[in-house]
Amino acid sequence: MTHDRSRESVRLRNYDYASVGFYFVTICTHQRQCLFGTINNSIMQLNNHGLIAKKCWLQIPQHFAAVGLDHFVVMPNHMHALLHIHMETGATVATIIRSFKAAVTRQLQRPIWQRNYWERVIRTERELGLAREYIVNNPVQWGTDKAEDY
């Protein structure tokens, strides 16, 4: 079996992903399909699928009381978000994302997501500010992305 470096984990070794803190996550659609809407004049316009994804995201604190939501954006074929675990409860970032993805898939009744997701532990106030800025500006950057990347 060959080793695929692109599938190698970027997770921090020995880090508890249920720890109190902020986590930046990126979740992509299956085959990068534009399922959630369109960008017009640098503004994300959600379609029905996008509205369902947004609604499911906003419901996370109802299922995980120790989790707060910070900035997030649903884009045509992915979403970026900041999760804030504010109490130790044992729920990991992976559990939260798996639950969210399952809820969206259940409502839309079709394959929606890529198998994995990307996460980054936010360690400083500066990193938190940069992540928030990136999320807010993501729709503006859409036009500069290469079409073949999506």
Side-chain angles (χ1 to χ4, degrees), residues 82-135:
L82 281 163
L83 287 173
H84 180 211
I85 297 178
H86 51 81
M87 282 184 344
E88 299 279 346
T89 65
T92 65
V93 174
T95 301
I96 296 161
I97 299 304
R98 187 170 38 252
S99 174
F100 163 72
K101 288 167 70 171
V104 175
T105 300
R106 208 170 23 255
Q107 288 194 37
L108 296 179
Q109 299 182 338
R110 63 173 285 189
I112 299 296
W113 304 108
Q114 281 186 0
R115 189 172 133 244
N116 293 321
Y117 67 95
W118 184 86
E119 68 194 5
R120 177 183 170 92
V121 177
I122 301 295
R123 296 182 178 164
T124 67
E125 285 294 321
R126 182 175 184 279
E127 283 184 31
L128 182 59
L130 290 171
R132 287 174 173 154
E133 185 178 323
Y134 181 83
I135 290 168

Side-chain angles (χ1 to χ4, degrees), residues 28-35 77 111-115:
C28 295
T29 59
H30 180 67
Q31 298 178 341
R32 298 268 184 145
Q33 299 172 74
C34 290
L35 301 175
N77 62 3
I112 299 296
W113 304 108
Q114 281 186 0
R115 189 172 133 244

Side-chain angles (χ1 to χ4, degrees), residues 17-30:
Y17 282 82
S19 296
V20 169
F22 283 90
Y23 300 86
F24 179 84
V25 297
T26 299
I27 311 166
C28 295
T29 59
H30 180 67

